Amino acid sequence: MPAFTASAPGKVILFGEHAVVYGRGAIAAPVSQVRARAVVRADPHAPAGTVRIQAPDIRLDSTLDQLPDPHPLRLVISALLAHLGAQRLPACTLRITSSIPVASGLGSGAAVSVAVLRALSAFLGHPLPDEAVSALAFEAEKLYHGTPSGIDNTVITYQLPVYFQRGRAIQTLQVKQAFDLLIADTGVASPTSLAVRDVRRAWEADPAPSEAIFDAIGGIALAARQAIQNGENERLGALMDENHAWLQRMGVSSAELDTLVASARAAGAQGAKLSGAGRGGNIIALVEADQADQVSRALTRAGVKRTILTRVATSH
Ligand code: MEV
């Protein structure tokens, strides 16, 4: 039986998390060192319509029907079937593996959705264009995140650095000069939905202070876009530091994240900030290639579980 395989990268938010949910711009890039992968095989011996789902990383081995309702995989598969006007899948096994840490801000949920949509649509003989993949993955993001901006599914589907604004057409980011980011994982799982919910509660209770923070962060994302497009990468470190300070004021940082950001700067990074929803998950540090090792060692001494060095490459 032929296998239909697809994979999708992780992502990292460089600037603008949370404020992007409220319409401000944000910058994100794919992280290809970590990936989610989906493999679909027809199962001619199984009763018609039986879809077996195996995801050993999260100890899931179930039929589609037995998954809890709601469940992101159920949702992604029914959104795909509705999009294609199909009633159900032919009997098959869907195997999902991922090297993207869960609830760490690296987009594991969106990457799984994108890989599953690509593999299943190819299996059904209707491989989807990027636009449809991103739109359908967004449906599952709503279940993971509550009120997602759409940045994760967009950057992961298109696999390009983006300047993203909710509800606007995708704007790929022109990178004049490559730069390196060190991503450091606190190992503290932080579901995006909880941080997003708390930011929303604060905004609902008293919109003005939250709006002022979103505006400041939106301004930083815009300045960072200009710097990246003009090759003025030396401006990015200070912009990251500023963005982190606003995220602290928003209440989504934590003692661990602040310690790691300070350690990265002390070890020579040009700037550092939390990345993603906050509370746990990752920080990113802007590093010169020859400093990456020393910053990585300092972060490991400060307690991080893992570092990933990723390059935001020059656009062609
Ligand atoms: C999560 O990767 C980024 C947040 O801004 C949420 C979102 O944009 O949906 C925290």
Side-chain angles (χ1 to χ4, degrees), residues 11 13 16-21 105 107 141 145 147-152 192 196 276-278:
K11 72 98 208 338
I13 299 205
E17 48 274 274
H18 287 292
V20 67
V21 174
E141 287 293 283
H145 292 186
T147 53
S149 62
I151 192 168
D152 286 18
T192 301
V196 168

Side-chain angles (χ1 to χ4, degrees), residues 216-230:
I217 292 178
I220 291 170
L222 210 53
R225 177 172 78 163
Q226 266 164 12
I228 293 170
Q229 287 179 345
N230 297 339

Side-chain angles (χ1 to χ4, degrees), residues 78-316:
S78 34
L80 173 67
L81 292 176
H83 180 81
L84 295 176
Q87 291 299 314
R88 62 180 187 179
L89 287 165
C92 63
T93 299
L94 166 63
R95 189 175 168 83
I96 301 164
T97 50
S98 175
S99 56
I100 309 174
V102 175
S104 72
L106 292 180
S108 65
V112 165
S113 298
V114 167
V116 164
L117 286 162
R118 290 214 169 106
L120 280 177
S121 62
F123 169 63
L124 292 169
H126 296 282
L128 295 177
D130 285 345
E131 207 180 337
V133 170
S134 185
L136 295 175
F138 183 60
E139 294 307 311
E141 287 293 283
K142 290 184 194 159
L143 202 59
Y144 283 116
H145 292 186
T147 53
S149 62
I151 192 168
D152 286 18
N153 48 286
T154 302
V155 67
I156 286 169
T157 299
Y158 290 90
Q159 305 193 47
L160 287 170
V162 295
Y163 177 82
F164 179 87
Q165 263 183 300
R166 195 178 185 151
R168 300 251 181 110
I170 172 176
Q171 301 173 56
T172 53
L173 186 68
Q174 291 308 303
V175 180
K176 189 156 179 196
Q177 225 181 329
F179 56 93
D180 292 318
L181 295 174
L182 195 66
I183 304 169
D185 186 359
T186 58
V188 179
S190 167
T192 301
S193 56
L194 298 187
V196 168
R197 182 201 63 192
D198 290 352
V199 171
R200 181 161 297 272
R201 284 186 181 159
W203 174 72
E204 279 168 354
D206 188 5
S210 297
E211 287 288 336
I213 295 177
F214 301 151
D215 281 343
I217 292 178
I220 291 170
L222 210 53
R225 177 172 78 163
Q226 266 164 12
I228 293 170
Q229 287 179 345
N230 297 339
E232 296 160 356
N233 294 353
E234 67 286 354
R235 289 176 55 205
L236 295 177
L239 289 169
M240 279 188 183
D241 293 348
E242 252 181 75
N243 195 158
H244 185 74
W246 286 110
L247 289 163
Q248 285 176 311
R249 289 178 67 169
M250 198 188 279
V252 294
S253 193
S254 67
E256 282 103 334
L257 290 166
D258 291 344
T259 303
L260 294 180
V261 162
S263 307
R265 289 181 194 143
Q270 279 94 62
K273 63 183 276 294
L274 73 83
S275 172
R279 299 270 163 81
N282 285 280
I283 68 144
I284 53 169
L286 181 69
V287 290
E288 296 290 350
D290 58 357
Q291 288 172 326
D293 271 354
Q294 87 195 31
V295 178
S296 176
R297 277 198 301 274
L299 288 169
T300 305
R301 276 197 302 278
V304 304
K305 295 285 166 291
R306 174 187 187 185
T307 59
I308 300 170
L309 183 63
T310 194
R311 170 156 291 195
V312 182
T314 310
S315 309
H316 297 294

